[in-house]
Protein backbone atom coordinates (compact mmCIF):
# COMPACT_ATOMS: atom_id res chain seq x y z
CA UNK A 1 0.00 0.00 0.00
CA UNK A 2 2.96 2.31 0.51
CA UNK A 3 3.18 2.64 -3.27
CA UNK A 4 -0.23 4.36 -3.19
CA UNK A 5 1.01 7.02 -0.78
CA UNK A 6 4.28 7.49 -2.67
CA UNK A 7 2.32 7.76 -5.92
CA UNK A 8 0.23 10.73 -4.72
CA UNK A 9 1.11 14.40 -5.18
CA UNK A 10 -0.68 17.44 -3.76
CA UNK A 11 -0.26 20.64 -5.79
CA UNK A 12 -1.02 24.14 -4.49
CA UNK A 13 -1.18 26.84 -7.19
CA UNK A 14 -0.49 30.51 -6.51
CA UNK A 15 -0.55 30.19 -2.73
CA UNK A 16 -0.18 33.47 -0.85
CA UNK A 17 -0.49 32.54 2.84
CA UNK A 18 2.37 30.64 4.53
CA UNK A 19 0.00 29.36 7.19
CA UNK A 20 -1.93 27.42 4.56
CA UNK A 21 1.26 25.75 3.41
CA UNK A 22 2.12 24.75 6.96
CA UNK A 23 -1.40 23.43 7.55
CA UNK A 24 -1.23 21.52 4.26
CA UNK A 25 2.07 19.92 5.28
CA UNK A 26 0.51 18.82 8.57
CA UNK A 27 -2.54 17.39 6.78
CA UNK A 28 -0.40 15.48 4.31
CA UNK A 29 1.83 13.92 6.95
CA UNK A 30 -1.11 13.06 9.21
CA UNK A 31 -2.68 11.05 6.41
CA UNK A 32 0.54 9.30 5.45
CA UNK A 33 1.45 11.24 2.30
CA UNK A 34 4.77 12.90 1.49
CA UNK A 35 4.74 15.06 -1.62
CA UNK A 36 3.67 18.70 -1.75
CA UNK A 37 4.34 20.93 -4.78
CA UNK A 38 3.95 24.71 -4.91
CA UNK A 39 3.29 26.33 -8.28
CA UNK A 40 4.26 30.01 -8.52
CA UNK A 41 3.69 30.95 -4.87
CA UNK A 42 3.11 34.68 -4.42
CA UNK A 43 6.42 35.20 -2.64
CA UNK A 44 9.59 33.15 -2.38
CA UNK A 45 10.33 30.81 0.51
CA UNK A 46 6.74 30.84 1.78
CA UNK A 47 7.25 27.31 3.10
CA UNK A 48 10.14 28.57 5.25
CA UNK A 49 8.11 31.36 6.83
CA UNK A 50 7.67 31.16 10.64
CA UNK A 51 3.88 30.89 10.21
CA UNK A 52 4.29 27.89 7.90
CA UNK A 53 6.64 26.20 10.36
CA UNK A 54 4.33 26.89 13.30
CA UNK A 55 1.20 25.54 11.60
CA UNK A 56 3.05 22.51 10.22
CA UNK A 57 3.11 21.36 13.86
CA UNK A 58 6.07 19.03 13.46
CA UNK A 59 5.64 18.14 9.78
CA UNK A 60 8.94 19.89 9.06
CA UNK A 61 10.15 17.07 6.80
CA UNK A 62 7.25 17.80 4.42
CA UNK A 63 8.16 21.50 4.36
CA UNK A 64 11.84 20.75 3.79
CA UNK A 65 11.05 18.53 0.81
CA UNK A 66 8.52 20.82 -0.88
CA UNK A 67 9.01 21.14 -4.64
CA UNK A 68 8.59 24.65 -6.07
CA UNK A 69 7.98 25.09 -9.82
CA UNK A 70 6.94 28.02 -12.00
CA UNK A 71 4.10 26.37 -13.95
CA UNK A 72 1.33 23.85 -13.44
CA UNK A 73 2.54 22.02 -16.54
CA UNK A 74 5.82 21.25 -14.76
CA UNK A 75 4.03 20.13 -11.62
CA UNK A 76 1.84 17.76 -13.66
CA UNK A 77 4.63 16.41 -15.87
CA UNK A 78 4.94 12.95 -14.22
CA UNK A 79 1.23 12.66 -13.35
CA UNK A 80 -1.00 10.08 -15.05
CA UNK A 81 -4.33 11.08 -13.43
CA UNK A 82 -5.07 14.56 -12.05
CA UNK A 83 -7.99 16.16 -10.22
CA UNK A 84 -8.72 19.88 -10.20
CA UNK A 85 -10.38 20.63 -6.87
CA UNK A 86 -12.93 23.41 -7.36
CA UNK A 87 -16.33 24.43 -6.03
CA UNK A 88 -17.41 26.31 -9.16
CA UNK A 89 -19.40 24.83 -12.03
CA UNK A 90 -17.84 25.02 -15.52
CA UNK A 91 -19.63 25.25 -18.86
CA UNK A 92 -16.96 23.16 -20.54
CA UNK A 93 -14.20 21.04 -19.11
CA UNK A 94 -13.12 17.64 -17.85
CA UNK A 95 -15.56 15.11 -16.36
CA UNK A 96 -16.90 16.04 -12.91
CA UNK A 97 -16.97 13.83 -9.81
CA UNK A 98 -16.94 14.22 -6.05
CA UNK A 99 -13.88 13.62 -3.90
CA UNK A 100 -14.97 10.15 -2.76
CA UNK A 101 -15.38 8.99 -6.35
CA UNK A 102 -12.00 10.52 -7.15
CA UNK A 103 -10.37 8.70 -4.25
CA UNK A 104 -11.82 5.37 -5.33
CA UNK A 105 -10.75 5.94 -8.93
CA UNK A 106 -7.27 6.93 -7.71
CA UNK A 107 -6.92 3.72 -5.74
CA UNK A 108 -7.81 1.67 -8.82
CA UNK A 109 -5.48 3.72 -11.01
CA UNK A 110 -2.49 3.32 -8.70
CA UNK A 111 -3.29 -0.38 -8.30
CA UNK A 112 -2.80 -0.87 -12.04
CA UNK A 113 0.89 0.03 -12.17
CA UNK A 114 3.67 1.16 -9.85
CA UNK A 115 4.53 3.78 -12.52
CA UNK A 116 1.14 5.51 -12.30
CA UNK A 117 0.91 8.70 -10.26
CA UNK A 118 -2.09 10.83 -9.23
CA UNK A 119 -2.39 14.47 -8.17
CA UNK A 120 -4.87 16.70 -6.36
CA UNK A 121 -4.62 20.33 -7.51
CA UNK A 122 -5.82 23.30 -5.45
CA UNK A 123 -5.92 26.91 -6.65
CA UNK A 124 -5.14 30.27 -5.04
CA UNK A 125 -6.97 31.07 -1.81
CA UNK A 126 -9.08 33.92 -3.20
CA UNK A 127 -10.02 32.87 -6.72
CA UNK A 128 -9.27 29.16 -7.08
CA UNK A 129 -8.15 27.50 -10.29
CA UNK A 130 -8.85 29.26 -13.59
CA UNK A 131 -10.21 27.59 -16.72
CA UNK A 132 -6.80 27.21 -18.36
CA UNK A 133 -5.39 25.45 -15.30
CA UNK A 134 -8.40 23.18 -15.06
CA UNK A 135 -8.04 22.27 -18.74
CA UNK A 136 -4.71 20.63 -17.92
CA UNK A 137 -6.38 18.18 -15.53
CA UNK A 138 -8.16 14.90 -16.23
CA UNK A 139 -11.06 15.48 -13.85
CA UNK A 140 -12.91 18.24 -12.01
CA UNK A 141 -13.43 17.29 -8.40
CA UNK A 142 -15.91 18.70 -5.86
CA UNK A 143 -16.16 18.33 -2.10
CA UNK A 144 -19.89 17.97 -1.34
CA UNK A 145 -20.66 20.83 1.01
CA UNK A 146 -23.47 23.13 2.04
CA UNK A 147 -24.70 24.56 -1.30
CA UNK A 148 -25.57 27.80 0.44
CA UNK A 149 -22.03 28.14 1.78
CA UNK A 150 -19.50 25.86 0.12
CA UNK A 151 -16.40 27.94 0.87
CA UNK A 152 -13.50 25.92 2.27
CA UNK A 153 -10.05 27.13 3.21
CA UNK A 154 -7.50 25.60 0.82
CA UNK A 155 -5.77 23.70 3.65
CA UNK A 156 -9.13 22.37 4.87
CA UNK A 157 -9.95 21.17 1.37
CA UNK A 158 -6.59 19.46 1.16
CA UNK A 159 -7.17 17.79 4.53
CA UNK A 160 -10.52 16.38 3.42
CA UNK A 161 -9.01 15.17 0.14
CA UNK A 162 -6.11 13.49 1.92
CA UNK A 163 -8.51 11.72 4.27
CA UNK A 164 -10.69 10.40 1.43
CA UNK A 165 -7.61 9.16 -0.41
CA UNK A 166 -6.25 7.44 2.68
CA UNK A 167 -9.57 5.74 3.35
CA UNK A 168 -9.87 4.53 -0.27
CA UNK A 169 -6.27 3.33 -0.32
CA UNK A 170 -6.74 1.44 2.96
CA UNK A 171 -9.87 -0.24 1.63
CA UNK A 172 -8.03 -1.25 -1.56
CA UNK A 173 -5.68 -3.47 0.46
CA UNK A 174 -8.22 -6.25 0.11
CA UNK A 175 -8.35 -5.86 -3.67
CA UNK A 176 -7.07 -8.90 -5.57
CA UNK A 177 -4.08 -8.45 -7.90
CA UNK A 178 -4.94 -7.12 -11.35
CA UNK A 179 -4.67 -9.37 -14.37
CA UNK A 180 -2.82 -6.82 -16.49
CA UNK A 181 -0.56 -3.92 -15.67
CA UNK A 182 -1.57 -0.67 -17.36
CA UNK A 183 1.06 2.01 -17.85
CA UNK A 184 -0.75 5.29 -18.44
CA UNK A 185 1.03 8.13 -20.21
CA UNK A 186 2.36 10.84 -17.89
CA UNK A 187 1.03 14.32 -18.52
CA UNK A 188 4.24 15.58 -20.12
CA UNK A 189 3.85 12.95 -22.87
CA UNK A 190 0.18 13.77 -23.37
CA UNK A 191 1.00 17.48 -23.61
CA UNK A 192 3.66 16.71 -26.22
CA UNK A 193 1.07 14.70 -28.16
CA UNK A 194 -1.45 17.56 -28.01
CA UNK A 195 1.11 19.99 -29.43
CA UNK A 196 2.06 17.48 -32.15
CA UNK A 197 -1.62 16.86 -32.93
CA UNK A 198 -2.24 20.59 -33.27
CA UNK A 199 0.61 20.87 -35.79
CA UNK A 200 -0.87 17.99 -37.77
CA UNK A 201 -4.36 19.53 -37.80
CA UNK A 202 -2.94 22.82 -39.05
CA UNK A 203 -0.97 20.97 -41.71
CA UNK A 204 -4.11 19.37 -43.19
CA UNK A 205 -6.09 22.65 -42.86
CA UNK A 206 -8.48 21.17 -40.32
CA UNK A 207 -7.46 23.82 -37.78
CA UNK A 208 -7.15 27.48 -38.68
CA UNK A 209 -4.55 28.90 -36.27
CA UNK A 210 -5.89 32.44 -36.73
CA UNK A 211 -9.44 31.34 -35.83
CA UNK A 212 -9.01 28.23 -33.66
CA UNK A 213 -12.33 28.68 -31.82
CA UNK A 214 -12.58 25.97 -29.13
CA UNK A 215 -11.23 23.09 -31.18
CA UNK A 216 -7.99 22.48 -29.25
CA UNK A 217 -9.55 22.76 -25.77
CA UNK A 218 -12.13 20.20 -26.86
CA UNK A 219 -9.37 17.99 -28.25
CA UNK A 220 -7.49 18.30 -24.96
CA UNK A 221 -10.56 17.21 -22.98
CA UNK A 222 -10.97 14.27 -25.35
CA UNK A 223 -7.38 13.10 -24.90
CA UNK A 224 -7.46 13.54 -21.13
CA UNK A 225 -10.84 11.84 -20.80
CA UNK A 226 -9.55 8.91 -22.84
CA UNK A 227 -6.78 8.19 -20.30
CA UNK A 228 -4.19 7.30 -22.94
CA UNK A 229 -1.61 4.64 -22.22
CA UNK A 230 2.04 5.20 -23.09
CA UNK A 231 1.68 2.84 -26.07
CA UNK A 232 -1.38 4.70 -27.37
CA UNK A 233 0.37 8.05 -26.98
CA UNK A 234 3.37 6.82 -28.96
CA UNK A 235 1.01 5.46 -31.65
CA UNK A 236 -0.77 8.79 -31.99
CA UNK A 237 2.55 10.62 -32.20
CA UNK A 238 3.42 8.32 -35.09
CA UNK A 239 0.17 9.26 -36.84
CA UNK A 240 1.02 12.95 -36.40
CA UNK A 241 4.48 12.41 -37.83
CA UNK A 242 3.05 10.74 -40.93
CA UNK A 243 0.47 13.52 -41.41
CA UNK A 244 3.21 16.16 -41.25
CA UNK A 245 5.20 14.27 -43.90
CA UNK A 246 2.29 14.56 -46.33
CA UNK A 247 2.53 17.31 -48.93
CA UNK A 248 -0.31 19.80 -48.94
CA UNK A 249 -2.60 19.78 -51.96
CA UNK A 250 -1.38 22.68 -54.10
CA UNK A 251 -4.61 22.91 -56.08
Amino acid sequence: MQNFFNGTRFIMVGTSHPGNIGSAARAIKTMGFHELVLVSPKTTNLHQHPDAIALASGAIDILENIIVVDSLEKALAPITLSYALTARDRDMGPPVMDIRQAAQESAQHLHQSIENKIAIILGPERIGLDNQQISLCHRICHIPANPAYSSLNVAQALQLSAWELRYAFTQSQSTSPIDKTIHYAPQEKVEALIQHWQQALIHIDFLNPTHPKKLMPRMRYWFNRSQLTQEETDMMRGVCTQILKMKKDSS
Side-chain angles (χ1 to χ4, degrees), residues 180-209:
K180 183 181 179 181
T181 299
I182 303 177
H183 300 297
Y184 290 100
Q187 192 64 19
E188 59 184 345
K189 287 195 172 183
V190 176
E191 285 298 318
L193 166 60
I194 291 171
Q195 296 304 315
H196 205 177
W197 184 249
Q198 180 173 327
Q199 293 171 17
L201 295 181
I202 292 172
H203 185 74
I204 60 174
D205 296 326
F206 188 83
L207 170 64
N208 182 346

Side-chain angles (χ1 to χ4, degrees), residues 59-80:
I60 303 303
D61 54 328
I62 305 297
L63 291 180
E64 290 176 344
N65 290 289
I66 276 178
I67 300 168
V68 181
V69 296
D70 59 9
S71 71
L72 182 55
E73 288 87 346
K74 290 180 181 178
L76 290 173
I79 302 302
T80 54

